[in-house]
Amino acid sequence: MRAARSRVVPGLLAAFCAASLAWAAEPTSPQTKAEMIRLIDTLEKQPNHPDGREMRGKVLTWLTEAPDVSVNICGDYLGIQDLDKDKGGELVLQQPFAEAKFILEHPDKANDEAAVHLAGIESALRAYAALKAEDSKLVNAPMEALVKLQADQKLPEYVSKAMAKCNARK
């Protein structure tokens, strides 16, 4: 089972990154924005939603085609290399989805990279908490480290350091 997930998560991210270069002719309509916000909220609160796979596919398709919403992917934010197990795929996708949601809800802050990434990580943490509520035995070391940073109010500092690492690789 682990091997299958290991191939799925990187595959989804590769497709996401490659497709993010595509441009749609029209900006996202208000109706689509509202639908994407609703779907992303549902995925955060119910990562194991029965229609979760379909919902993630719909959000991923929109995000890769939207000319007015763009997010940067970097594994340093969630420790992507360690998230390919224990519900990692759901969390890896929740971060950029939540970043897109933040941009939709706060277009004036779309260029504030730190705020965008912080919103994405916080959403992934809420999704992780929802997963843990369903399975009390679930433990994902990278997410637990982020939970501690959040509890210690050090998440913004962590985001700044992760951004510096990601930007150094560009």
Side-chain angles (χ1 to χ4, degrees), residues 61-73:
T61 298
W62 161 74
L63 188 53
T64 59
E65 295 175 354
D68 52 345
V69 178
S70 171
V71 298
N72 295 317
I73 302 293

Side-chain angles (χ1 to χ4, degrees), residues 3-170:
R5 266 202 191 130
S6 294
R7 287 188 298 257
V8 171
V9 172
L12 282 173
L13 287 174
F16 176 77
C17 292
S20 67
L21 300 175
W23 290 92
E26 298 291 322
T28 305
S29 71
Q31 295 82 5
T32 300
K33 286 180 183 181
E35 180 183 16
M36 293 303 114
I37 289 169
R38 181 185 61 78
L39 291 173
I40 294 165
D41 279 341
T42 300
L43 290 168
E44 177 186 296
K45 293 172 187 162
Q46 301 173 45
N48 285 330
H49 191 283
D51 297 326
R53 186 178 185 149
E54 179 183 325
M55 294 163 71
R56 283 182 190 86
K58 192 168 193 171
V59 174
L60 185 62
T61 298
W62 161 74
L63 188 53
T64 59
E65 295 175 354
D68 52 345
V69 178
S70 171
V71 298
N72 295 317
I73 302 293
C74 178
D76 287 314
Y77 294 110
L78 293 181
I80 226 169
Q81 65 279 3
D82 297 320
L83 284 175
D84 62 342
K85 58 189 182 307
D86 301 329
K87 300 296 181 184
E90 292 86 343
L91 300 172
V92 166
L93 289 175
Q94 186 62 33
Q95 181 193 349
F97 290 176
E99 290 177 0
K101 176 183 170 248
F102 180 85
I103 291 167
L104 290 174
E105 293 178 328
H106 307 281
D108 57 316
K109 295 183 181 176
N111 293 323
D112 183 346
E113 271 189 89
V116 170
H117 294 309
L118 183 61
I121 291 170
E122 288 175 336
S123 177
L125 285 168
R126 287 188 294 273
Y128 180 62
L131 289 168
K132 286 186 71 154
E134 291 180 10
D135 178 2
S136 62
K137 295 178 183 178
L138 176 67
V139 176
N140 186 291
M143 294 306 293
E144 291 296 328
L146 290 173
V147 167
K148 180 162 179 16
L149 287 171
Q150 186 178 43
D152 294 342
Q153 298 182 355
K154 294 182 179 178
L155 209 50
E157 179 183 336
Y158 170 83
V159 169
S160 293
K161 289 178 182 177
M163 278 176 43
K165 285 182 187 176
C166 291
N167 290 335
R169 287 190 210 125
K170 286 183 182 178

